[in-house]
């Protein structure tokens, strides 16, 4: 898969919502109660606090499909050669709310950076076209739908699901419909990460195709990636954009070029 680093598609307005989402995700990752120094729990108490935080705010498929909180239980955490025993956390949890809060949690630095890179490149243009309030609602709806769709692929799973991937995939689906011929500068791994300009339909279409292939193996792909959530988020974003935004727009530089002929 190519790695997009820039798009040649100017916006008319400053992307307030896109940048706000970026900042919230970064702040929660580095300063939230789930992490100590450098994103890792600092001691036993922090380990237990981290696990309780994830249990409370991550989406758990069994809770979503049954619309009921699982009883909190003591947990044994294995870190290296240590086994830590954490008492059962005490909290009340709303499963539907956890489908939203899970969009702002990430399981690692690369997970965070990958999602935020795609949002940074493609979110500003989609927000520019939708408008700020509609874009915020669109983003949350795509993520919410993707999370529930994934939950129903494995309704008895108690493994927490975190990440903005479903919501960001919805943004990619919207961008593909709105700006299919916009130029995307991407790094190509098999060409020694050479940056090349490509049309958006190729970059995003190949991304979606790859996710769809991985999703054929079941909801959770290699490396504990919820590929089904990516596919559903992308499809929901694409369809909602077709229905409620409609008309495509080419990148400004291409429109100017065409007027010269």
């Amino acid at each position: 898969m190519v790695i997009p680093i820039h798009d040649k598609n100017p916006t008319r307005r400053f992307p307030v919502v896109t940048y706000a989402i970026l900042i919230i995700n970064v702040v929660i990752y580095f300063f939230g109660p789930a992490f100590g120094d450098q994103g890792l729990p600092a001691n036993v108490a922090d380990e237990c606090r981290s696990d309780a935080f994830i249990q409370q705010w991550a989406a758990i498929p069994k809770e979503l499909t049954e619309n009921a909180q699982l009883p909190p239980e003591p947990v044994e955490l294995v870190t290296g050669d240590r086994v830590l025993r954490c008492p059962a956390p005490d909290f009340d949890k709303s499963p539907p709310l956890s489908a939203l809060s899970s969009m702002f949690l990430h399981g690692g630095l690369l997970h965070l950076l990958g999602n935020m890179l795609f949002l940074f490149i493609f979110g500003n243009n989609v927000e520019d076209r939708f408008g700020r309030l509609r874009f915020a609602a669109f983003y949350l709806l795509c993520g919410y739908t993707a999370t529930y769709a994934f939950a129903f692929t494995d309704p008895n799973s108690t493994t927490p699901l975190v990440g903005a991937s479903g919501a960001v995939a919805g943004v990619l689906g919207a961008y593909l419909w709105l700006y299919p011929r916009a130029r995307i500068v991407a790094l190509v791994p098999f060409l020694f990460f050479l940056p090349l300009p490509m049309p958006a339909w190729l970059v995003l279409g190949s991304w979606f195709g790859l996710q769809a292939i991985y999703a054929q193996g079941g909801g959770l792909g290699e490396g504990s990636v919820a590929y089904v959530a990516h596919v559903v988020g992308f499809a929901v974003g694409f369809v909602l954009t077709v229905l409620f935004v409609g008309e495509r727009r080419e990148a400004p530089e291409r429109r100017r070029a065409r007027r010269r002929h």
Side-chain angles (χ1 to χ4, degrees):
M1 186 179 70
V2 298
I3 304 170
I5 56 174
H6 176 63
D7 71 332
K8 298 180 179 181
N9 195 0
T11 59
R12 299 167 298 170
R13 291 174 289 189
F14 185 79
V16 173
V17 175
T18 298
Y19 287 172
I21 293 171
L22 280 163
I23 292 169
I24 291 170
N25 276 275
V26 170
V27 168
I28 289 177
Y29 182 81
F30 285 104
F31 301 103
F35 302 98
D37 294 338
Q38 299 179 347
L40 297 173
N43 51 45
V44 174
D46 285 344
E47 292 269 10
C48 295
R49 190 180 303 114
S50 170
D51 183 75
F53 179 81
I54 294 299
Q55 287 188 52
Q56 182 173 6
W57 298 108
I60 296 176
K62 188 175 178 65
E63 293 181 333
L64 297 181
T65 56
E66 297 180 0
N67 195 33
Q69 176 184 345
L70 294 174
E73 297 179 352
V75 176
E76 286 191 352
L77 303 176
V78 178
T79 58
D81 57 352
R82 295 187 306 161
V83 177
L84 307 177
R85 291 176 174 80
C86 302
D90 182 20
F91 59 78
D92 292 320
K93 180 177 183 179
S94 167
L97 179 60
S98 72
L100 294 177
S101 60
S102 66
M103 286 186 250
F104 298 92
L105 307 177
H106 288 84
L109 186 57
L110 288 179
H111 188 203
L112 173 72
L113 292 177
N115 281 333
M116 295 304 101
L117 173 65
F118 276 79
L119 180 61
F120 177 77
I121 293 172
F122 300 106
N124 58 344
N125 291 103
V126 177
E127 178 181 343
D128 195 43
R129 188 69 190 279
F130 269 74
R132 289 165 181 161
L133 291 180
R134 282 208 306 170
F135 176 73
F138 167 82
Y139 179 88
L140 295 176
L141 179 60
C142 288
Y144 193 87
T145 306
T147 300
Y148 264 93
F150 174 78
F152 279 98
T153 66
D154 192 3
N156 293 315
S157 172
T158 58
T159 301
L161 178 65
V162 297
S165 302
V168 173
V171 173
L172 304 187
Y175 194 102
L176 178 60
W177 171 256
L178 294 172
Y179 305 101
R181 293 194 277 280
R183 307 304 290 178
I184 310 297
V185 178
L187 302 178
V188 184
F190 63 84
L191 293 179
F192 305 101
F193 293 94
L194 181 70
L196 294 175
M198 301 178 181
W201 65 263
L202 178 59
V203 174
L204 300 179
S206 62
W207 181 89
F208 177 75
L210 192 61
Q211 308 307 304
I213 291 171
Y214 287 152
Q216 297 304 309
L220 203 62
E222 188 176 326
S224 298
V225 179
Y227 290 110
V228 166
H230 299 181
V231 171
V232 171
F234 189 99
V236 169
F238 187 89
V239 171
L240 287 177
T241 307
V242 172
L243 293 177
F244 296 106
V245 178
E247 179 190 1
R248 285 172 164 162
R249 285 185 183 173
E250 297 181 79
E253 59 187 43
R254 182 171 289 271
R255 292 202 300 269
R256 289 195 296 270
R258 285 194 170 186
R259 282 198 288 266
R260 286 197 291 267
H261 286 286

